[in-house]
């Protein structure tokens, strides 16, 4: 029996802003039939009423689920180069079973916390099994990483993802970690989205100027950096190597400049999304992304948690809280970045990201909002109700 369900609350996040006294009607499979304003919800028989704000299921636009086993293994505040060194060391000594178990736990936790879709980075097939049965919708970015990477290194993983029916696309890790041939191949091999770590640290820009800790770290290990001297900056490499027709997520952007934002936006137009992971940036560099500057620039911004190697949880609400309390962004703006903007970035907004008729985004309940100031109370929490 396709029984309809009616859900009401004090307010709901809608694409156009906040709706007071919403009544959401759902089909039996969770598809939104209608969203209407209705103050007299007590007169509607069988309506579920919740005290709080209804949200569409949130979208974590950048995660590394397969690294969940590294939670608490890397010290905070060591800077990017030290983080990279510790990450390499920490990966050893764990069984596949341990990796899969940690990923399973955090997949379930994200779902319970109201996350409906995730842009997830993978360097292996550890998470492929759980993604086939997860209630979260994943798009997996198969990442080429390392200056020693070869152009066809991703081919076996890409084939395995296809065999498993995993929605995926190859992508280069960053502008600083791949040689010319591997970077170009990763871009060319993908017929879908790209997700590139970008300006996460100051050393990335300094590398292109042949100075700084990252440049010295590469030089001290005799690693080949064949792109040095070819491009003026990381943004220049992205613009010259990625066609403007491609859809791309640029991740972190902690040290991006206004000039970079303007140049990249002019090149990619609506195909570009800047994804912020504020708690990860604080964990590694004790730094914050320029959220307010990006807001003023009028570009699309989405949110992600990054991995548990550089975060304490995969809570999207905690990312929202940091942006509101430290980044100068309003609560409704941050929630929009955590929902519709993320769905648009991943190309899944036909189903996710907003409470609109015909979509099946899932519904989360945000409790603990101070309605007078439109801010999160210390006890604020979010949980899935659909």
């Amino acid at each position: 029996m396709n029984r309809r369900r009616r859900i009401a609350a004090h307010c709901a996040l809608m694409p156009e802003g906040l709706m007071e006294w919403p009544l959401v009607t759902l089909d039996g499979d969770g598809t939104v039939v209608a969203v209407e304003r209705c103050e007299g919800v007590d007169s509607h028989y069988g309506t579920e009423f919740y005290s709080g704000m209804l949200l569409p299921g949130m979208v974590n636009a950048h995660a590394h689920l397969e690294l969940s086993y590294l939670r608490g293994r890397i010290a905070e505040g060591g800077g990017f180069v030290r983080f990279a060194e510790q990450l390499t060391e920490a990966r050893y000594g764990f069984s596949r079973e341990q990796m899969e178990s940690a990923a399973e736990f955090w997949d379930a936790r994200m779902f319970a916390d109201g996350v409906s879709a995730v842009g997830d980075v993978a360097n292996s097939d550890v998470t492929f099994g759980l993604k086939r049965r997860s209630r979260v919708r994943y798009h997996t970015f198969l990442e080429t990483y390392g200056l020693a990477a070869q152009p066809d290194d991703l081919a076996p993983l890409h084939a395995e993802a296809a065999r498993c029916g995993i929605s995926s696309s190859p992508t280069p890790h960053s502008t600083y970690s791949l040689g010319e041939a591997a970077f170009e191949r990763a871009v060319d091999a993908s017929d879908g989205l790209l997700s590139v770590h970008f300006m996460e640290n100051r050393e990335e820009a300094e590398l292109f100027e042949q100075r700084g800790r990252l440049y010295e770290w590469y030089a001290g290990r005799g690693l080949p950096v064949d792109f040095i001297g070819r491009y003026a900056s990381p943004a220049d490499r992205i613009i010259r190597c990625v066609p403007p027709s491609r859809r791309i997520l640029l991740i972190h952007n902690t040290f991006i400049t206004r000039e970079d934002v303007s140049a990249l936006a002019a090149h990619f137009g609506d195909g570009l999304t800047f994804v912020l992971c504020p708690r990860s940036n604080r964990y590694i560099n004790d730094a914050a992304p320029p959220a307010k500057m990006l807001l003023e620039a009028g570009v699309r911004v989405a949110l992600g948690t990054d991995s548990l190697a550089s975060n304490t949880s995969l809570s999207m609400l905690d990312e929202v809280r940091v942006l509101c309390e430290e980044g100068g962004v309003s609560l409704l703006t941050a929630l929009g970045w955590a929902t519709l903007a993320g769905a648009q970035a991943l190309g899944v907004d036909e189903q996710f990201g907003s409470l609109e008729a015909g979509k099946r985004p899932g519904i989360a309940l945000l409790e603990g909002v101070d309605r007078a100031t439109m801010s999160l109370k210390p006890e604020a929490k979010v949980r899935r109700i659909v």
Side-chain angles (χ1 to χ4, degrees), residues 348-371:
V348 296
D349 51 309
E350 82 291 340
Q351 178 176 338
F352 299 100
S354 59
L355 297 173
E356 297 181 84
K359 293 190 176 186
R360 193 172 60 181
I363 300 179
L365 178 70
L366 175 57
E367 301 170 292
V369 175
D370 185 327
R371 298 289 302 283

Side-chain angles (χ1 to χ4, degrees), residues 7 10 21 53 58 84 105 123 126 129 136 153 171 175 185 190 195 201 203 248 259-260 273 285 312-313 326 354 375:
I7 296 173
H10 288 119
W21 303 111
M53 182 188 299
M58 292 183 286
F105 174 86
N123 302 111
V126 165
V136 175
D153 282 353
T171 193
T175 63
R185 177 57 179 157
S190 174
S195 177
N201 55 85
E203 289 89 346
I248 186 169
E259 292 75 20
D260 287 341
T273 303
N285 291 311
T312 56
S313 74
E326 303 175 15
S354 59
S375 61

Side-chain angles (χ1 to χ4, degrees), residues 227-279:
F227 52 87
I228 292 295
R230 296 192 183 197
Y231 307 101
S233 67
D236 185 46
R237 191 178 192 193
I238 292 285
I239 290 169
R240 290 170 58 187
C241 293
V242 183
S245 59
R246 301 300 299 277
R247 291 171 51 219
I248 186 169
L249 287 68
L250 295 179
I251 314 299
H252 293 300
N253 310 288
T254 318
F255 298 99
I256 198 170
T257 65
R258 291 182 185 274
E259 292 75 20
D260 287 341
V261 173
S262 296
L264 290 160
H267 183 70
F268 290 108
D270 193 51
L272 172 66
T273 303
F274 295 96
V275 180
L276 307 185
C277 307
R279 289 193 300 148

